[in-house]
Amino acid sequence: MNNKSTLLKIKNLETRFYTEDGVVHAVNGISYDMEESEILGVVGESGCGKSVHALSIMRLIPDPPGKIENGEIFLNDRNLLTISDNEMRQIRGSHIAMVFQDPMTSLNPVYTVGDQISEALLLHQGMDKKEARDRSAELLSLVGIPDASKRLDDYPHQFSGGMRQRAMIAMALSCNPSLLIADEPTTALDVTIQAQIVELVRRLQENIGMAIMWITHDLGIVAELAEKINVMYAGYIIERGLVHDIYKQTRHPYTLGLLGSLPRLDAEPGTKLVSIPGLPPDLIALPKGCPFYARCTFREDQCFEEMPVLEPAGGYEHKVACWKWEKINGSGVQR
């Protein structure tokens, strides 16, 4: 029996960007829960709203042009959208931390790595400078950087890409957050270093017990790391469930396409990868029906006229937003 409590609850979140060309509907009424110590994968192609929804949780949407138009975001029953800016600054880092895609642009090039890790400890943990420096060395060691105490005085350019990302993870963990949001943290790294970072995060999660939201376009990484998956498309969650259900009983044609684009070790020689035809919809002029309609091989007239809601699709917490999901009932990847 699952006795974990809910850590994060998102209800009907909508985020817009007001541009000269029109209103960009970046996140369109998404709702879901995360439990304590859960690892959630958020997947989808570029522009689907993955990062914007995470920045909305952190209340880091630039205003203007962006604005969270609707919804509620509860962290331990506290609505992050109604608290003051000062209260939100206290929550960032101490309760929710975020690791971004490119560590070179996230780290300040004119401050040492040790100073940047120490800053959060001085601000949120009330440590003095020596305590903060000692703890910074412990954190660098924890994330696998050798001779950590000696590397504190190095600048970001003296670290390799993988080491910079490890330093960012150390910084994110400095105040023992209950939720770590990792926004495509391995995209800029080569595959060997990617695997090391994924393994590092998995080991840290087992030891520390924090919840992790891993945002990526790589379903291969999610398969080995996450427990549950949110598949996003055009600002909507179009499929959600346990990793096993999403991969073995795929219900949405977009998820089928994503899985079909992955090379498989058990595939027959000469098997071609699947590509999804067409382009994502214009987020300024979304269709009134399903946003995947123009690219879908299962489409019918109802799909063009009416947007499906996320509904149970068999399996524990497996939900899908598709009128024809019972016809799809993917068992593995349909090629």
Side-chain angles (χ1 to χ4, degrees):
M1 182 177 177
N2 184 4
N3 56 7
K4 292 181 182 178
S5 60
T6 299
L7 172 68
L8 180 73
K9 180 182 285 290
I10 295 178
K11 295 182 178 180
N12 199 32
L13 176 65
E14 295 181 6
T15 303
R16 307 280 183 259
F17 289 91
Y18 293 85
T19 72
E20 292 181 358
D21 295 326
V23 180
V24 178
H25 296 73
V27 178
N28 298 306
I30 66 173
S31 302
Y32 68 89
D33 294 354
M34 269 188 82
E35 297 174 343
E36 292 177 337
S37 73
E38 176 185 320
I39 303 181
L40 171 69
V42 181
V43 301
E45 60 198 31
S46 297
C48 72
K50 305 186 302 292
S51 296
V52 172
H53 118 272
L55 291 171
S56 299
I57 295 171
M58 298 289 288
R59 259 176 60 178
L60 291 174
I61 297 294
D63 181 9
K67 188 176 182 182
I68 300 172
E69 288 284 16
N70 191 29
E72 298 172 309
I73 301 173
F74 290 95
L75 182 73
N76 290 324
D77 299 323
R78 194 176 186 188
N79 190 349
L80 302 183
L81 298 185
T82 60
I83 62 177
S84 69
D85 289 343
N86 187 53
E87 288 175 299
M88 191 65 209
R89 276 192 292 270
Q90 294 298 318
I91 284 175
R92 290 191 206 108
S94 59
H95 296 283
I96 310 178
M98 193 164 180
V99 178
F100 294 93
Q101 185 176 84
D102 185 358
M104 197 59 204
T105 57
S106 301
L107 290 166
N108 192 319
V110 301
Y111 288 96
T112 65
V113 171
D115 283 344
Q116 294 184 63
I117 298 175
S118 295
E119 183 180 9
L121 295 167
L122 294 168
L123 179 65
H124 292 294
Q125 301 293 302
M127 295 183 180
D128 61 32
K129 288 187 176 181
K130 184 182 185 307
E131 290 172 330
R133 184 177 174 84
D134 290 344
R135 178 58 178 157
S136 297
E138 289 177 11
L139 288 163
L140 283 185
S141 180
L142 181 69
V143 297
I145 292 181
D147 297 323
S149 59
K150 296 179 181 178
R151 303 306 302 265
L152 289 174
D153 295 321
D154 286 351
Y155 289 87
H157 73 270
Q158 295 173 279
F159 278 39
S160 67
M163 289 176 67
R164 285 195 293 267
Q165 198 57 283
R166 288 171 186 266
M168 284 298 302
I169 293 170
M171 195 182 304
L173 297 178
S174 60
C175 297
N176 302 310
S178 51
L179 173 61
L180 174 67
I181 301 175
D183 186 6
E184 304 212 36
T186 61
T187 298
L189 307 175
D190 66 54
V191 290
T192 304
I193 305 301
Q194 281 185 23
Q196 292 176 6
I197 296 296
V198 171
E199 181 56 35
L200 168 66
V201 170
R202 181 175 20 225
R203 177 170 56 79
L204 290 172
Q205 195 276 337
E206 290 173 355
N207 293 337
I208 299 171
M210 63 196 166
I212 296 174
M213 181 185 298
W214 190 280
I215 298 170
T216 182
H217 61 273
D218 189 337
L219 279 159
I221 289 177
V222 169
E224 59 180 296
L225 184 67
E227 303 164 50
K228 297 177 185 174
I229 301 178
N230 287 348
V231 182
M232 291 191 67
Y233 186 78
Y236 297 94
I237 295 175
I238 51 94
E239 189 162 11
R240 169 175 166 80
L242 298 176
V243 169
H244 180 272
D245 290 338
I246 297 292
Y247 281 71
K248 296 298 182 182
Q249 296 295 327
T250 314
R251 302 295 194 179
H252 198 284
Y254 175 65
T255 314
L256 272 181
L258 289 180
L259 289 170
S261 67
L262 287 176
R264 294 169 59 103
L265 293 175
D266 59 354
E268 293 293 327
T271 301
K272 294 183 178 180
L273 298 180
V274 173
S275 63
I276 302 174
L279 297 171
D282 182 355
L283 296 181
I284 294 177
L286 281 172
K288 64 178 179 178
C290 175
F292 192 62
Y293 174 84
R295 308 172 74 183
C296 183
T297 56
F298 296 89
R299 67 190 182 202
E300 295 183 9
D301 290 345
Q302 183 183 16
C303 307
F304 178 76
E305 294 293 338
E306 190 176 356
M307 174 65 194
V309 296
L310 205 62
E311 63 176 353
Y316 177 70
E317 291 193 15
H318 195 175
K319 296 182 178 180
V320 66
C322 179
W323 294 117
K324 306 303 173 187
W325 66 263
E326 290 178 288
K327 288 186 177 182
I328 297 165
N329 191 18
S331 179
V333 178
Q334 296 185 8
R335 296 192 182 279

